[in-house]
Amino acid sequence: MKELMIHGIKIKYHESMNLIKDEYQLAFLTKNFDEIHCVVDFNFENGQFKNINIKPRFNIDITIEEGVYIFGVNYVED
């Protein structure tokens, strides 16, 4: 698993996924960058981080374990 810390949140994700991010959003893409597995929106209020909105789309397993968000895939592309 790869690891990322953003806005005080620890995120782990499967090695086969590609990650594109900015301050307000993450997108987990397939190995070949041709499908979106999941989009995560970070919401702010008065300049302070407020919450996240997780939008699963394609072959993704999401687990929250001891405050860590874990994004896995149902299968791995060749």
Side-chain angles (χ1 to χ4, degrees), residues 27 34 45 47 52 61 71:
D34 57 350
E45 189 173 278
I52 63 174
D61 294 322
F71 295 84

Side-chain angles (χ1 to χ4, degrees), residues 15-18 29-35 37 76-78:
E15 300 86 16
S16 69
M17 289 194 281
N18 288 297
L29 305 173
T30 56
K31 179 178 164 184
N32 298 322
F33 292 94
D34 57 350
E35 295 282 343
H37 282 300
V76 177
E77 301 168 342
D78 291 333

